């Protein structure tokens, strides 16, 4: 740790809720209010509410920057770019969540189908070779697994089931 640096984080949106509890004259409140509302402070009476002379100096600097058309245009372009970036990131996040949810549902359906086929085989024939279980678990086509579920319920032996597997796996 260094004793030379101190970092404080202030959540400006929460200022509105606490503004009734804090009054003008509190230097911290005045700076937070300025940072949160400087762009709205066109009213000269409102500006006079600030008691801190440095905030009045900050108003002068802000007005000087705002008076320069090129600087103001750059600030507006930057603000629009930041808003676009936030919007794009939110859209991408939402799309990613949707894709993740869809993939999770599909994976769950595949896993449930594999388990159902294996459970039926084990209930009917007790001993099911690992090669068949591995083959079933490696399948990623839900339609194929549905067909295998029907076959698992109707075949006469594990060997017959193995012969009907895709990438046919014969038992030893």
């Amino acid at each position: 740790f260094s004793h030379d640096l101190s970092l404080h984080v202030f959540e400006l949106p929460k200022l509105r809720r606490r503004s009734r509890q804090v009054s003008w004259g509190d230097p911290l409140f005045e700076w937070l209010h300025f940072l949160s509302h400087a762009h709205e402070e066109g009213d000269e009476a409102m500006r006079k509410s600030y008691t801190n002379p440095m905030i009045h100096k900050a108003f002068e600097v802000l007005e000087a920057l705002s008076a320069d058309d090129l600087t103001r245009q750059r600030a507006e372009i930057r603000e629009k770019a930041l808003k676009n970036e936030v919007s794009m990131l939110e859209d991408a996040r939402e799309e990613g969540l949707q894709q993740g949810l869809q993939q999770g549902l599909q994976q769950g359906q595949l896993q449930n189908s594999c388990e159902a086929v294996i459970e039926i085989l084990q209930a009917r024939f007790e001993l099911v070779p690992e090669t068949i279980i591995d083959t079933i678990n490696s399948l990623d086509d839900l339609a194929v697994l549905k067909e295998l579920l029907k076959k698992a319920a109707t075949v006469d032996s594990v060997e017959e089931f193995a012969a009907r597997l895709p990438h046919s796996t014969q038992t030893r």
Side-chain angles (χ1 to χ4, degrees), residues 65-82:
L65 288 173
S66 298
D68 180 15
D69 285 339
L70 181 59
T71 304
R72 190 178 64 251
Q73 286 175 346
R74 286 180 181 163
E76 288 171 359
I77 290 170
R78 184 174 185 276
E79 186 175 348
K80 286 178 185 176
L82 289 173

Side-chain angles (χ1 to χ4, degrees), residues 4-145:
D4 299 331
L5 177 65
S6 178
L7 179 65
H8 300 273
V9 177
F10 298 100
E11 296 182 57
L12 295 177
K14 291 183 179 178
L15 178 66
R16 288 189 194 107
R17 286 183 272 179
R18 300 213 40 199
S19 63
R20 293 183 189 110
Q21 300 169 358
V22 184
S23 63
W24 292 102
D26 178 351
L28 179 60
F29 170 78
E30 287 187 8
W31 272 112
L32 294 175
H33 190 274
F34 171 77
L35 292 171
S36 190
H37 300 285
H39 62 285
E40 304 165 355
E41 306 281 347
D43 184 351
E44 199 59 38
M46 186 65 168
R47 289 184 185 190
K48 290 182 180 176
S49 299
Y50 294 104
T51 59
N52 187 333
M54 292 306 293
I55 293 177
H56 292 282
K57 180 73 174 163
F59 267 119
E60 291 172 13
V61 170
L62 187 60
E63 285 176 345
L65 288 173
S66 298
D68 180 15
D69 285 339
L70 181 59
T71 304
R72 190 178 64 251
Q73 286 175 346
R74 286 180 181 163
E76 288 171 359
I77 290 170
R78 184 174 185 276
E79 186 175 348
K80 286 178 185 176
L82 289 173
K83 286 180 180 179
N84 286 344
E85 182 180 5
V86 167
S87 177
M88 287 171 44
L89 287 173
E90 185 60 33
D91 290 347
R93 181 181 163 283
E94 189 66 33
E95 185 178 322
L97 286 173
Q98 289 297 327
Q99 285 178 346
L101 180 62
Q102 189 65 30
Q103 287 175 348
L105 288 172
Q106 186 176 8
Q107 286 291 85
Q109 287 175 330
L110 285 171
Q111 185 175 354
N112 287 340
S113 295
C114 289
E115 289 172 2
V117 171
I118 293 166
E119 285 176 12
I120 289 175
L121 289 171
Q122 288 172 336
R124 291 192 66 217
F125 306 112
E126 292 183 27
L127 185 63
V128 179
E130 281 298 314
T131 55
I132 292 176
I133 292 173
D134 290 344
T135 301
I136 293 169
N137 283 327
S138 71
L139 297 173
D140 60 359
D141 186 338
L142 204 51
V144 170
L145 285 166

